[in-house]
Amino acid sequence: MTTMTKPRYTGKRHRLDKPELLAPAGSLEKLKFAVHYGADAVYIGGQKYGLRSNAGNFSFEEMKEGVEFANRYGAKVFVATNIYAHNEDIEGLEQYLKELENAGIAAIIAADPAIIETAQRVAPKLEVHLSTQQSTLNWQAVKFWKDEGLPRVVLARETSVEEIAEIKAHVDIEIEAFIHGAMCSSFSGRCVLSNHFTDRDSNRGGCCQSCRWKYDLFVDEDAPAFQEQDDKFTMGSKDLCMIEHLPDLIEVGIDSFKIEGRMKSLHYVATVVNVYRQAIDAYFADPEGYELKQEWLDEIHKAANRPLNTGFFFDTPGSEDHIYEPEDKPAPYDFAGVVMAYDEVKGEALVQQRNHFKPGQEVEFVGPEGTFFKQIVGAITDEEGNELDAARHPLQLIRMRVEQPVKAMDMMRKRTGKSK
Amino acid sequence: MDNGYRPELLVMPSSLEEMRLLGAAGANAFTVGEARYGMRLAGEFDLKAVQHAAEYTRANNFKLYAAVNNLIDNETLPDLPAYIRGLAEAGVDAVIFGDPAVLMTVRSEAPQLELHWNAEMTSTNYATANYWGRRGAHRVVLARELNMEQVIEVKQHTELQVEVQVHGMTNIYHSKRSLLHSYLDHQAKSGIESELKEEPGSFGQTGGLFLVETERPEERYPIYEDSNGTHIMSSDDICMLENLHELLEAGIDSFKIEGILKTPAYNETVVRAYRYVIDKYLKDPAGYQFQDEWLEPIREIQDPKRELSFGFFYKEQVY
């Protein structure tokens, strides 16, 4: 990863003292975990108009429940309506946006002016945030959208810290930037590989990630550039991770730090949110004395599914920033369970199984403050007290002794690999 | 009955010389520009060359459009007003834009110029076209991923001129990254020698590089790098000649032939074929019937490895 040698750029956050930590939530349960682990806002998808047609998208009822839950923590819920609409998508749009407003959604994230304008007209209580799908790189375009009445712009992932500083200097508007997660390697919205390969419309949620497929590069008809056994060509990018550079992003004045991943697991979202929450809070508690903690990096790697980099923040990605070789899982931990309840008297937790675990295995417990203890799993029973040799069944409720007090919504990870 | 409908036949030449060739073959509108401001151009036209081009188009009653459709970064902004004024002075008829910064600059620096909204794959519906129309656009350049019904419906629901690409390849992926360089660097680090050596132009439009995906050995996707990043192009060439009357009946205002990565001889043949068909149709719309032989010159000059297709005109996409 690149480090910055130049003096830091400083900008002004528009409205917030601390940058907002904005997390993805592919389901109601993930929303609750994201908020519980420290997100200031979450973004979700509804049944229509979103770019993740395969994510567990929310009904209006679920949205209402999500908003209610988030509000208890002082958090907000945004809805991604970030497709580029076709003619036939326009019918029903007004009704849909009104429903979002009624459900208490704070903002939509939109790219298509047809959606932006309709929202402003029929659902004025909804804020409209310009999606990264517009690939906005320059301050004059940002100013255009501000003049159009938008309070926030999500910049293109191709903007550097320096460019963000310049945008901040020219336009008084909230700036949101992706700080963690998977990235399109193309300019967002400027890719129709899925349309061509599979007749799935990438700009309406049908992306099949053709950028991560493997290709042979040919110089001319009979001359492949490389041999069969060599690494193949791909556009696939490493994932973004800015945990090591948080002060740069805070000081440049980014208003909202966005984590990618509506398709990611509950464990991923909670773990990543947890780390950035702690880092942001640590910075604001003592900006001068702020130091990156090794445990934050360790936690990020326990959640990561790909190698990580810093995207375009400091430099244009090069050969080190793409994934040409087979990938290894970075850390030997798997999500194993969620704490549902804790019995103080017995020192016993009720754990909902999320992956196979058994007595003798090493596990660690994670809560909103981070990973706080490890232990070896002792005897386990089902809810009725029947002893089990392993927790085999998805979502099965398991009773087990824990060596320290735990709370509902704490997560349990198991160490993987044959040694334990 | 002549209702005055005279659709435009638009092409992007790589040079003034090619422009004259294509004008003689029947094109009557041309797109030119330079890579600093315009995206995926067939050739570089600095302001001097734009001026020469404008002299030619004016003398022939043709139109000249400047491609200023890049995704604009901060660094380009300070030079944009002077460039737009330069285009106006050179005598272009319209500016093609995707980025709102260009729209704003044209409105302030050269409000007499027409504006063509072209956001490539994201110009997909009439409501958005009309949105840009209310902000000054005169024309929408439609995404190539729309089907015939959608194209016709846009035309029916907008006051803007509608431009549709009817022939040639399309861009299917654009990255700011230098993906060919990255790949070659990666291989070099592993000590792997390649047929491909980095020489001037070897990664560019004339490099002849293409990608083949393992499951689709017959399809060749051209790839090149330039100052705007990496571009991957479609493996087929749209060819709507046989069914051009459907678009003519719909009253489409401009038919675009994409000239990029093609020889002047190829473009000339294609322009000639479309000019012939347009004129045939306009002469007698009711009696018009396509003759298969009209396609023959294009078939003869077409690279056999590149399919002539209908693009997305008759496809249903899912998502």
Side-chain angles (χ1 to χ4, degrees):
Chain A
M1 295 191 188
T2 329
T3 39
M4 230 165 83
T5 49
K6 285 188 254 178
R8 291 227 173 98
Y9 298 94
T10 51
K12 179 168 100 14
R13 259 178 304 285
H14 181 69
R15 192 174 64 177
L16 309 157
D17 294 334
K18 275 187 193 181
E20 170 187 278
L21 182 58
L22 174 58
S27 69
L28 188 55
E29 187 185 40
K30 292 176 195 174
L31 179 152
K32 291 176 178 175
F33 274 79
V35 169
H36 182 72
Y37 277 78
D40 299 305
V42 294
Y43 62 100
I44 64 174
Q47 302 294 333
K48 285 157 80 177
Y49 304 108
L51 272 185
R52 295 288 178 277
S53 53
N54 288 326
N57 291 317
F58 284 63
S59 67
F60 295 124
E61 278 313 304
E62 289 170 320
M63 283 184 197
K64 282 177 192 155
E65 191 182 334
V67 168
E68 216 167 275
F69 183 90
N71 287 349
R72 274 186 258 146
Y73 288 77
K76 292 175 180 167
V77 181
F78 305 156
V79 171
T81 55
N82 51 350
I83 64 162
Y84 278 102
H86 286 210
N87 299 334
E88 62 269 27
D89 300 316
I90 291 164
E91 197 187 321
L93 179 61
E94 290 190 8
Q95 190 55 35
Y96 182 79
L97 293 169
K98 284 179 190 164
E99 294 275 12
L100 296 185
E101 190 182 42
N102 287 340
I105 297 301
I108 58 165
I109 305 164
D112 192 325
I115 295 176
I116 293 170
E117 189 178 45
T118 308
Q120 290 174 326
R121 183 163 46 83
V122 305
K125 276 188 282 185
L126 280 180
E127 278 191 9
V128 181
H129 299 172
L130 188 74
S131 164
T132 197
Q133 293 300 113
Q134 268 283 353
S135 285
T136 306
L137 298 164
N138 72 76
W139 63 260
Q140 198 169 13
V142 171
K143 184 171 183 306
F144 172 89
W145 294 112
K146 180 184 157 82
D147 293 345
E148 289 288 321
L150 276 63
R152 181 185 293 195
V153 168
V154 190
L155 292 177
R157 277 171 276 220
E158 287 76 10
T159 41
S160 66
V161 172
E162 203 172 330
E163 289 171 317
I164 294 171
E166 206 181 336
I167 289 167
K168 272 280 167 191
H170 279 91
V171 194
D172 191 15
I173 188 170
E174 289 175 24
I175 292 296
E176 177 177 314
F178 281 93
I179 58 157
H180 196 95
M183 288 182 282
C184 289
S185 61
S186 67
F187 283 108
S188 298
R190 300 299 180 103
C191 170
V192 287
L193 293 173
S194 296
N195 307 55
H196 279 260
F197 286 131
T198 62
D199 289 335
R200 293 172 59 87
D201 190 350
S202 51
N203 280 327
R204 285 192 291 173
C207 170
C208 58
Q209 308 214 16
S210 309
C211 62
R212 301 197 183 276
W213 299 357
K214 302 294 182 190
Y215 300 83
D216 285 308
L217 177 65
F218 282 77
V219 182
D220 64 48
E221 208 151 309
D222 315 302
F226 295 98
Q227 303 299 311
E228 187 66 36
Q229 69 275 11
D230 298 338
D231 289 334
K232 290 191 183 296
F233 178 88
T234 180
M235 299 78 98
S237 172
K238 291 185 180 176
D239 284 4
L240 184 63
C241 172
M242 292 302 289
I243 188 64
E244 293 179 59
H245 306 276
L246 218 51
D248 289 326
L249 303 187
I250 291 171
E251 285 161 27
V252 80
I254 296 170
D255 298 87
S256 178
F257 289 168
K258 185 174 206 164
I259 298 164
E260 177 278 345
R262 284 196 280 134
M263 309 281 275
K264 296 286 199 321
S265 70
L266 175 161
H267 171 250
Y268 176 93
V269 172
T271 301
V272 174
V273 165
N274 203 358
V275 168
Y276 282 98
R277 176 77 281 147
Q278 292 174 64
I280 293 168
D281 290 349
Y283 178 88
F284 280 91
D286 179 12
E288 298 301 315
Y290 175 84
E291 262 180 43
L292 180 75
K293 288 191 187 162
Q294 182 58 40
E295 63 183 81
W296 296 338
L297 292 172
D298 295 344
E299 286 289 304
I300 288 282
H301 284 106
K302 286 173 193 171
N305 3 32
R306 292 196 189 100
L308 304 169
N309 75 358
T310 59
F312 282 84
F313 279 106
F314 305 112
D315 204 356
T316 299
S319 64
E320 301 293 327
D321 300 301
H322 298 92
I323 304 170
Y324 300 108
E325 291 154 315
E327 301 160 35
D328 295 325
K329 182 168 167 40
Y333 286 91
D334 273 340
F335 182 34
V338 169
V339 175
M340 306 301 284
Y342 174 64
D343 185 331
E344 222 172 321
V345 180
K346 293 184 183 162
E348 190 182 84
L350 182 66
V351 173
Q352 188 185 53
Q353 193 263 30
R354 293 303 176 109
N355 201 338
H356 185 282
F357 67 92
K358 63 184 183 190
Q361 225 165 8
E362 185 188 314
V363 291
E364 61 180 25
F365 285 86
V366 194
E369 304 295 316
T371 297
F372 56 103
F373 73 99
K374 294 181 198 295
Q375 71 169 58
I376 303 297
V377 178
I380 61 173
T381 71
D382 64 14
E383 258 191 304
E384 283 74 42
N386 304 307
E387 194 163 336
L388 300 169
D389 64 340
R392 287 198 170 77
H393 306 294
L395 306 183
Q396 185 180 15
L397 292 171
I398 304 286
R399 289 188 195 284
M400 61 183 279
R401 279 192 56 82
V402 284
E403 292 172 6
Q404 294 183 26
V406 292
K407 290 196 286 290
M409 296 182 85
D410 286 349
M411 300 186 294
M412 185 179 86
R413 294 189 190 114
K414 63 172 179 176
R415 200 172 162 83
T416 57
K418 296 289 169 201
S419 59
K420 292 275 178 184
Chain B
M1 189 191 71
D2 189 345
N3 59 5
Y5 172 53
R6 293 286 181 276
E8 166 185 287
L9 187 57
L10 170 67
V11 67
M12 183 161 61
S14 60
S15 65
L16 276 168
E17 196 186 356
E18 184 179 357
M19 189 169 166
R20 293 194 187 97
L21 184 72
L22 302 179
N28 59 359
F30 302 89
T31 301
V32 296
E34 54 188 283
R36 173 138 196 246
Y37 303 98
M39 198 180 273
R40 288 183 286 281
L41 305 169
E44 284 284 297
F45 282 70
D46 61 15
L47 284 176
K48 195 85 200 146
V50 173
Q51 199 183 325
H52 290 311
E55 282 159 17
Y56 167 76
T57 51
R58 234 188 335 262
N60 290 281
N61 210 15
F62 296 157
K63 296 282 187 193
L64 185 66
Y65 308 138
V68 194
N69 57 340
N70 258 353
L71 294 160
I72 304 287
D73 56 15
N74 287 336
E75 209 187 324
T76 311
L77 286 181
D79 298 330
L80 198 54
Y83 182 63
I84 296 294
R85 288 195 301 272
L87 289 172
E89 283 157 25
V92 304
D93 297 288
V95 165
I96 303 163
F97 79 98
D99 195 307
V102 176
L103 173 93
M104 290 171 86
T105 307
V106 171
R107 285 198 320 211
S108 69
E109 304 298 322
Q112 72 276 20
L113 291 182
E114 291 205 351
L115 281 157
H116 296 180
W117 175 56
N118 182 3
E120 293 272 320
M121 33 293 250
T122 68
S123 310
T124 48
N125 71 76
Y126 59 81
T128 303
N130 291 335
Y131 174 96
W132 291 112
R134 286 191 295 278
R135 281 150 189 81
H138 301 79
R139 174 181 293 192
V140 51
V141 181
L142 289 183
R144 284 71 54 104
E145 292 74 29
L146 301 183
N147 65 32
M148 184 63 83
E149 285 81 33
Q150 292 169 330
V151 168
I152 293 170
E153 204 183 0
V154 170
K155 177 64 192 164
Q156 289 166 345
H157 286 82
T158 184
E159 296 294 310
L160 273 68
Q161 300 160 22
V162 176
E163 177 182 315
V164 174
Q165 182 178 335
V166 291
H167 196 95
M169 66 176 74
T170 61
N171 176 255
I172 64 173
Y173 171 95
H174 177 196
S175 176
K176 192 185 177 183
R177 301 158 188 250
S178 300
L179 291 168
L180 291 168
H181 276 96
S182 291
Y183 181 53
L184 270 285
D185 287 352
H186 168 78
Q187 301 294 55
K189 280 176 199 160
S190 324
I192 295 166
E193 283 290 313
S194 158
E195 295 289 313
L196 179 57
K197 299 281 180 284
E198 196 191 337
E199 287 156 13
S202 59
F203 294 177
Q205 283 191 17
T206 55
L209 300 180
F210 60 89
L211 298 176
V212 174
E213 201 268 317
T214 316
E215 307 283 307
R216 297 165 175 77
E218 299 302 312
E219 298 170 15
R220 297 156 173 233
Y221 294 87
I223 179 168
Y224 71 92
E225 274 181 24
D226 63 16
S227 55
N228 293 321
T230 307
H231 311 269
I232 301 176
M233 310 299 286
S234 61
S235 64
D236 55 344
D237 287 313
I238 298 171
C239 176
M240 285 299 287
L241 194 73
E242 295 157 80
N243 293 344
L244 202 68
H245 55 275
E246 294 179 28
L247 293 163
L248 285 157
E249 276 158 29
I252 298 304
D253 301 273
S254 178
F255 297 117
K256 174 158 71 192
I257 292 166
E258 178 56 79
I260 198 170
L261 299 182
K262 302 289 188 197
T263 62
Y266 180 91
N267 287 332
E268 185 193 13
T269 302
V270 171
V271 166
R272 206 177 286 287
Y274 281 83
R275 169 50 58 202
Y276 185 79
V277 164
I278 292 169
D279 289 348
K280 270 279 186 208
Y281 175 88
L282 291 180
K283 211 166 166 186
D284 179 15
Y288 173 88
Q289 195 149 28
F290 181 77
Q291 306 295 315
D292 194 56
E293 69 208 47
W294 299 345
L295 190 54
E296 209 41 51
I298 296 180
R299 282 201 190 111
E300 274 171 28
I301 202 167
Q302 180 70 16
D303 176 353
K305 305 285 189 193
R306 292 184 58 81
E307 187 194 347
L308 287 170
S309 80
F310 290 124
F312 288 94
F313 279 101
Y314 305 104
K315 266 189 190 175
E316 208 49 59
Q317 294 173 83
V318 296
Y319 51 92

